[in-house]
């Protein structure tokens, strides 16, 4: 199963919105076939492994990281895998975990068992769930898995007091950032980041696909000469704005090729819940928020962020006016802090990369739950 998981990860830049899946066929304690889902619309891992094994698949064992699909349904690109496993004469199937997709949900395992195939479920389940966390978030919650990503100095600054932020992280870290971009469905920034940094929000390199470029701009304050506007005809740009955003600016941006998604205002802001579910309906299963501080603050307040990835550079900026990654009112006491689990650290170039899953405070007492207006004094 470890080998199957290793193979599955190779498809990360290309399979979304499908899950990453790997399969290994073993007979007489020897691997006779292996494969992975290589690209969206392409053959599934099980089929690729069967092709490699050929006649050796008869009476063999298959290890697969996700429950095999079992039926045809609207939108499915390839034939179901379970009938092909049965036809090939596979004797035993070891499945890491069930597929939560409404058209599978244990039916694949049931069909295999009904065909007389010995089925075991749960081997390396935790690792398999981690591998496809974005797929599970999208399937079960209808929204993408959201990662907050930023680079900061040892003293927690993401820009100097003059606003200079190029470059905080190392070249090696920036290469990893572009790899991550190529593996994600959408990059999200706020208007402040667009106006200050004028980013393209593209994935540079030869791995993966270009992400959807997303700006949260309630009042359409984005300047028409920003790169995201001038290149909207080359690669899609979505701007989420309020329904009462200036009509003339709407016309200008749409004429430039920008897609506008109009949402109702709640108080003085748009709700992350509505933004993320709209992206989910469009097939986006993962998203990275790249700033700025105000956007991170509201996303944390509304519990929209699932994970963080921080590039910690061996630099110090100092200064009360130097920018910190998360702005907003902040927490009133330590007990209300947002914490993290499954924290991992490693080095990339001169930087330390910190990754973790977000753990929000309990809903007992004041909490950044749902649409949060800030902590109320007792």
């Amino acid at each position: 199963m470890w080998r199957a998981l290793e193979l599955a990860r190779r498809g990360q830049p290309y399979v979304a919105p499908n899950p990453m899946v790997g399969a290994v066929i073993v007979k007489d304690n020897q691997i006779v076939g292996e494969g992975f889902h290589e690209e969206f619309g392409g053959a599934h891992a099980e089929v690729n492994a069967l092709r490699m094994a050929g006649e050796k698949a008869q009476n063999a064992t298959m290890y697969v990281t996700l429950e095999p699909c079992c039926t045809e349904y609207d939108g499915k690109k390839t034939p179901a895998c379970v009938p092909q496993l049965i036809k090939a004469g596979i004797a035993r199937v070891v499945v890491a975990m069930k597929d939560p997709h409404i058209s599978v949900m244990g039916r694949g395992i049931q069909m295999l068992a009904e065909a007389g195939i010995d089925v075991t479920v749960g081997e390396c389940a935790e690792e398999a769930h981690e591998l496809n966390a974005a797929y599970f978030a999208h399937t079960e919650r209808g929204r993408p898995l959201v990662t907050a990503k930023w680079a900061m100095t040892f003293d927690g600054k993401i820009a100097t007091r003059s606003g200079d932020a190029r470059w905080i992280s190392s070249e090696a870290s920036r290469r990893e950032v572009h790899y991550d971009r190529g593996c994600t469905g959408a990059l999200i920034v706020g208007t402040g980041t667009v106006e200050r940094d004028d980013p393209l929000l593209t994935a540079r390199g030869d791995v993966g696909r270009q992400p959807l470029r997303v700006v949260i701009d309630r009042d359409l304050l984005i300047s028409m000469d920003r790169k995201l506007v001038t290149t909207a005809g080359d690669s899609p740009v979505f701007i989420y704005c309020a329904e009462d955003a200036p009509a003339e600016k709407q016309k200008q941006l749409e004429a430039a090729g920008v897609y506008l998604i109009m949402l109702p205002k709640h108080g003085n802001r748009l709700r992350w819940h509505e933004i993320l579910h709209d992206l989910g309906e469009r097939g986006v299963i993962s998203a990275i928020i790249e700033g700025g501080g105000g956007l991170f603050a509201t996303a944390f307040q509304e519990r929209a962020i699932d994970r963080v990835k921080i590039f910690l550079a061996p630099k110090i900026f100092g200064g009360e006016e130097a920018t910190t990654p998360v702005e907003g009112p902040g927490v009133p006491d330590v007990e209300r802090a947002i914490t993290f689990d499954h924290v991992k650290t490693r080095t990339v170039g001169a930087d330390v990369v910190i990754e973790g899953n977000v753990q929000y405070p309990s809903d007992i007492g004041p909490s950044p739950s749902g649409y949060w207006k800030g902590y109320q004094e007792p």
Side-chain angles (χ1 to χ4, degrees):
M1 190 62 78
W2 281 111
R3 174 61 177 166
L5 289 164
E6 177 188 358
L7 290 166
R9 191 171 294 279
R10 296 182 184 180
Q12 184 179 18
Y14 306 105
V15 300
N18 283 355
M20 293 173 271
V21 183
V24 174
I25 299 174
V26 176
K27 188 171 186 179
D28 299 328
N29 294 320
Q30 298 291 324
I31 292 178
V32 297
E34 60 182 30
F36 65 98
H37 186 33
E38 299 178 13
E39 61 180 352
F40 179 69
H44 286 190
E46 300 93 321
V47 174
N48 286 330
L50 287 173
R51 287 173 180 170
M52 180 176 175
E55 295 181 357
K56 294 179 181 179
Q58 186 76 31
N59 296 319
T61 296
M62 173 178 283
Y63 295 82
V64 62
T65 59
L66 191 67
E67 178 182 6
C69 58
C70 55
T71 186
E72 310 298 327
Y73 53 85
D74 186 37
K76 196 173 188 312
K77 302 290 185 180
T78 60
C81 292
V82 167
Q84 298 183 67
L85 297 183
I86 296 171
K87 182 179 179 180
I90 290 288
R92 180 171 178 248
V93 177
V94 181
V95 180
M97 63 183 307
K98 292 181 180 180
D99 188 338
H101 193 285
I102 192 171
S103 297
V104 188
M105 298 181 68
R107 296 187 186 93
I109 292 168
Q110 181 181 349
M111 286 178 62
L112 290 169
E114 289 174 350
I117 295 174
D118 180 21
V119 183
T120 301
V121 182
E123 187 70 32
C124 298
E126 183 176 351
E127 292 84 357
H129 189 280
E130 172 66 17
L131 176 75
N132 279 309
Y135 172 74
F136 286 105
H138 185 256
T139 303
E140 296 170 350
R141 295 189 285 163
R143 47 153 280 189
L145 184 81
V146 177
T147 299
K149 188 275 296 179
W150 65 79
M152 69 180 185
T153 62
F154 273 14
D155 57 338
K157 307 297 185 181
I158 62 171
T160 67
R161 59 185 174 84
S162 67
D164 185 16
R166 294 191 178 183
W167 294 101
I168 292 175
S169 58
S170 66
E171 184 177 347
S173 292
R174 296 197 296 275
R175 285 197 297 269
E176 181 167 320
V177 166
H178 283 286
Y179 177 84
D180 290 344
R181 286 180 172 186
C183 294
T184 199
L187 296 178
I188 305 175
V189 295
T191 318
T193 297
V194 175
E195 292 301 301
R196 181 183 63 251
D197 299 338
D198 196 17
L200 269 173
L201 298 184
T202 53
R204 293 188 283 280
D206 57 358
V207 175
R209 299 174 292 190
Q210 291 299 330
L212 177 65
R213 301 179 291 171
V214 177
V215 182
I216 313 301
D217 185 1
R218 184 192 63 195
D219 298 318
L220 294 183
L221 300 177
I222 188 171
S223 300
M224 293 301 297
D225 63 352
R226 300 294 88 179
K227 293 174 184 175
L228 287 172
V229 176
T230 59
T231 64
D234 303 327
S235 180
V237 174
F238 280 22
I239 295 182
Y240 286 89
C241 63
E243 293 172 331
D244 61 354
E248 184 59 32
K249 193 64 171 289
Q250 290 182 39
K251 293 178 182 178
Q252 293 174 5
L253 289 167
E254 288 176 338
V258 174
Y259 295 92
L260 298 182
I261 297 88
M262 320 293 287
L263 295 176
K265 280 193 298 190
H266 300 269
N268 64 347
R269 70 169 104 180
L270 308 180
R271 279 193 178 175
W272 276 102
H273 173 83
E274 295 174 357
I275 293 168
L276 295 179
H277 278 272
D278 181 80
L279 288 171
E281 289 176 0
R282 298 174 190 275
V284 175
I285 72 169
S286 63
I288 297 175
I289 303 177
E290 293 198 357
L295 203 66
F296 285 137
T298 61
F300 276 120
Q301 288 163 11
E302 297 185 30
R303 301 188 175 221
I305 295 172
D306 302 298
R307 296 181 170 184
V308 297
K309 184 170 186 177
I310 302 166
F311 292 86
L312 187 61
K315 297 180 174 74
I316 288 179
F317 289 168
E320 294 179 356
E321 297 180 3
T323 311
T324 56
V326 183
E327 298 173 355
V331 301
D333 52 69
V334 174
E335 290 184 357
R336 308 310 307 154
I338 294 169
T339 59
F340 304 88
D341 65 7
H342 295 86
V343 176
K344 301 174 184 177
T345 61
R346 56 189 170 85
T347 57
V348 175
D351 305 328
V352 177
V353 180
I354 306 171
E355 298 176 87
N357 296 340
V358 181
Q359 296 294 306
Y360 290 99
S362 165
D363 284 329
I364 300 174
S367 161
S369 176
Y371 176 56
W372 183 52
K373 296 180 180 179
Y375 290 102
Q376 304 298 313
E377 295 296 326

